[in-house]
Amino acid sequence: MLIEEDVLIFDLDGTLFDSAPQIITCFKKAIQKNNIEIQKEISELIIGPPIKDTLEILIQSKDHDKIDLIINDFIELYDHKYCYETKLYDDVKETLEKLYKKKKMILITNKRLSPTSRMLKNADILKFFDNYFSVDQNDPTIENKTLLISNTIKSLGIKSDSAIYIGDTNGDHVASKKNNIKFAYASWGYGKCDDHPDYYLENITELI
């Protein structure tokens, strides 16, 4: 496999970090604290979307008025403890160290900016990225990953044919295609890719 693109744009959860154990624990604790019954199993399949979107799927509509309370409890748990316990997948750090000498590397994630920054610093991989950006549902210009990728490549003057997005979900694939950039599917993550990705990765070292 030869990755010809000069700009590598990475997803975070399920691509660089095995985040599911800590995220699932925080969802369970925050929901239990508010005495709410869930209508869908909390598993790896929920990883990816922003917290609010996930909670709207997990809990019954009659409890949606408590979503903000659950989010606050989740953030308190995750940002101050559990995000620091999240581990990189095998070979991630070594691969990024080799790639950043040859490629421009950016990170674009649905995860909030605060835990993203803490995880990158704690894992000692922040130094490998030229920039990192998070979806902000309060900002209409970057309220989802499609818009954030569009905003990022335009503001940084990146040509679409020189960039590739590496992620683990259908949503990542769709966001890539809508921005006319190639997509590399990280098959070790939590999601699936129903359509045909430009690259199918079984291990992150294949990017080297």
Side-chain angles (χ1 to χ4, degrees):
M1 180 185 301
L2 176 62
I3 303 294
E4 298 178 346
E5 288 71 28
D6 295 322
V7 183
L8 307 183
I9 307 175
F10 287 88
D11 174 45
L12 188 77
D13 295 326
T15 301
L16 300 180
F17 285 88
D18 184 9
S19 313
Q22 290 73 32
I23 292 175
I24 290 171
T25 295
C26 289
F27 270 123
K28 287 181 176 179
K29 286 180 177 291
I31 289 171
Q32 289 171 357
K33 182 178 179 181
N34 289 277
N35 299 311
I36 293 173
E37 294 183 3
I38 59 172
Q39 62 181 0
K40 186 174 181 179
E41 181 184 1
I42 303 179
S43 70
E44 291 182 353
L45 297 177
I46 69 167
I47 309 300
I51 300 174
K52 186 174 183 180
D53 293 350
T54 301
L55 287 171
E56 287 176 348
I57 296 172
L58 286 177
I59 67 176
Q60 301 177 47
S61 57
K62 67 182 180 65
D63 294 318
H64 279 195
D65 60 332
K66 297 181 180 179
I67 283 179
D68 287 343
L69 291 174
I70 301 171
I71 290 175
N72 289 337
D73 290 331
F74 179 98
I75 289 173
E76 181 66 25
L77 287 165
Y78 193 74
D79 288 23
H80 294 93
K81 179 182 179 182
Y82 287 95
C83 77
Y84 293 105
E85 298 177 2
T86 305
K87 304 298 183 183
L88 291 169
Y89 284 108
D90 291 343
D91 302 318
V92 166
K93 188 172 182 179
E94 295 80 4
T95 299
L96 295 180
E97 186 171 14
K98 293 177 180 179
L99 287 171
Y100 98 106
K101 298 174 183 178
K102 304 176 181 179
K103 307 281 187 178
K104 181 180 181 70
M105 299 206 298
I106 298 170
L107 187 135
I108 289 181
T109 177
N110 281 326
K111 188 183 287 292
R112 293 171 298 107
L113 196 61
S114 177
T116 295
S117 176
R118 295 179 189 199
M119 288 167 62
L120 293 174
K121 291 176 182 176
N122 188 56
D124 194 29
I125 61 171
L126 177 61
K127 59 191 176 185
F128 301 136
F129 293 96
D130 294 88
N131 304 91
Y132 64 99
F133 305 97
S134 295
V135 165
D136 185 347
Q137 294 186 309
N138 295 314
D139 184 340
T141 67
I142 55 172
E143 64 184 0
N144 59 57
K145 194 170 282 186
T146 298
L147 290 172
L148 181 52
I149 292 175
S150 174
N151 181 287
T152 299
I153 61 179
K154 288 178 182 176
S155 63
L156 297 180
I158 297 170
K159 295 180 179 179
S160 59
D161 61 0
S162 70
I164 184 170
Y165 191 82
I166 301 106
D168 68 313
T169 67
N170 275 328
D172 294 333
H173 192 191
V174 171
S176 302
K177 296 299 104 178
K178 287 185 176 179
N179 283 288
N180 296 312
I181 65 174
K182 288 185 178 179
F183 176 67
Y185 173 54
S187 64
W188 57 86
Y190 310 127
K192 58 182 181 178
C193 187
D194 294 329
D195 202 355
H196 298 291
D198 298 289
Y199 300 97
Y200 185 100
L201 305 176
E202 294 186 357
N203 187 287
I204 195 168
T205 58
E206 295 174 39
L207 289 172
I208 300 175

